[in-house]
Amino acid sequence: MGGLFSALGSFWSSLVHIFDPLCGPVGIFTWFGQSTLLACGDTGWGDEIALGLQVTVSVAIVTLPIGLAIGFLVALGQQSEEKPLRLAAGIYTTIFRGLPELLTLFIIYYGMQMLIQSLLTFVGYDGPPVEINAFLAGVIALSVVFSAYCSEVLLSAFRAIPKGQYEAGDALGLHHGRTLRLIILPQLVRIALPGLTNLWMVLLKDTSYVSIISLADILRQTSVAVRVTKEPFFFYGLACCLYLVLAVLSSFLLVYVERWAKRSEVRR
């Protein structure tokens, strides 16, 4: 089994290298960065910047579905007929929309370690201290913050759907789950998409917070390069360009997603 995981890891590393837009076989730094500070390999910082880009994109992509799922459940709780559910959902959104993202990251990163260590000590564990993976902590922190804002967007979208749509599902003999999946969700996606698009852009920028807990994202890698080379304008300018490229590519992709969501909309 260990050999299988090792082989899969090697295959994945090779695949990532092939499609690496910066230091891959047809990467920008590979072709245009040689003999500069951005050279790939031991002579430059190209490999480190490329790794930072991969980490930033990975954190954002992993956070998105988790945050959407939690946000959807919280939005359902906010419009539930059960008062305890509405209260719990309201407290959740108030806390994580009110706390600064950086403080939420610290609480989860350090607080989870302390909580797990206390639980293990309680059951008699006497081994080395527990350390939480920085990538996992970053994803969890960004997911709860993203989900808190996402739930408000989805709640507004839910309220924008006429109650007659639910009644139509009942009239067709559909139970609540099928009504939600076949009638409500398609409309919900179309209505909530502009707000979710803005949240995705915010999420891309918020990934920079994970550099504080030593996760090698774009900002951390460029900061290390600045300390070593004493070239702050060059590397921080490069970080700005990378974030802007990610935003532009996301904008193009989201345009196609929006067109797909509106494909069944009646033309006026």
Side-chain angles (χ1 to χ4, degrees):
M1 184 64 71
L4 176 61
F5 284 117
S6 178
L8 290 174
S10 299
F11 173 75
W12 177 251
S13 298
S14 302
L15 194 64
V16 169
H17 175 70
I18 291 173
F19 292 100
D20 186 350
L22 299 182
C23 282
V26 292
I28 297 173
F29 296 165
T30 303
W31 286 90
F32 303 104
Q34 298 304 322
S35 302
T36 69
L37 290 173
L38 298 178
C40 299
D42 297 334
T43 59
W45 291 89
D47 291 330
E48 288 76 9
I49 304 300
L51 175 62
L53 177 63
Q54 294 170 17
V55 171
T56 293
V57 173
S58 298
V59 170
I61 290 177
V62 173
T63 298
L64 179 63
I66 298 174
L68 284 174
I70 299 174
F72 180 74
L73 294 176
V74 173
L76 288 178
Q78 286 178 304
Q79 61 173 1
S80 172
E81 296 179 356
E82 300 292 334
K83 186 175 180 180
L85 283 178
R86 294 199 307 271
L87 180 61
I91 292 174
Y92 179 89
T93 56
T94 300
I95 290 176
F96 290 112
R97 285 194 302 151
L99 290 177
E101 288 86 344
L102 189 57
L103 183 57
T104 302
L105 179 62
F106 284 154
I107 290 174
I108 290 178
Y109 182 60
Y110 296 109
M112 282 181 61
Q113 295 187 53
M114 295 174 62
L115 177 62
I116 294 175
Q117 188 66 52
S118 298
L119 292 175
L120 291 177
T121 303
F122 178 76
V123 298
Y125 175 78
D126 194 24
V130 175
E131 293 186 6
I132 299 297
N133 181 271
F135 183 90
L136 177 62
V139 167
I140 294 175
L142 293 177
S143 294
V144 296
V145 174
F146 181 84
S147 66
Y149 288 98
C150 175
S151 66
E152 294 298 320
V153 173
L154 293 176
L155 180 61
S156 298
F158 270 121
R159 290 174 176 172
I161 299 174
K163 292 183 178 180
Q165 300 292 313
Y166 296 91
E167 296 170 356
D170 294 336
L172 292 172
L174 301 176
H175 59 73
H176 185 72
R178 286 180 61 84
T179 300
L180 184 65
R181 180 170 60 88
L182 298 177
I183 299 177
I184 304 303
L185 279 183
Q187 300 178 70
L188 184 74
V189 171
R190 177 171 53 83
I191 297 171
L193 194 57
L196 296 178
T197 297
N198 291 332
L199 290 182
W200 166 254
M201 293 299 186
V202 173
L203 175 62
L204 277 178
K205 295 185 295 181
D206 284 352
T207 56
S208 60
Y209 288 119
V210 300
S211 63
I212 304 297
I213 55 174
S214 302
L215 196 58
D217 71 322
I218 292 174
L219 186 58
R220 179 167 181 79
Q221 297 295 69
T222 51
S223 298
V224 172
V226 166
R227 288 197 294 270
V228 174
T229 63
K230 310 302 180 184
E231 295 283 351
F233 184 79
F234 177 79
F235 282 104
Y236 287 138
L238 175 63
C240 290
C241 291
L242 291 176
Y243 280 112
L244 288 175
V245 167
L246 291 176
V248 170
L249 292 177
S250 296
S251 298
F252 283 121
L253 179 60
L254 290 169
V255 167
Y256 287 104
V257 173
E258 187 173 0
R259 288 177 181 174
W260 172 83
K262 292 182 178 181
R263 68 194 186 283
S264 59
E265 202 173 34
V266 177
R267 295 183 179 273
R268 296 182 180 179

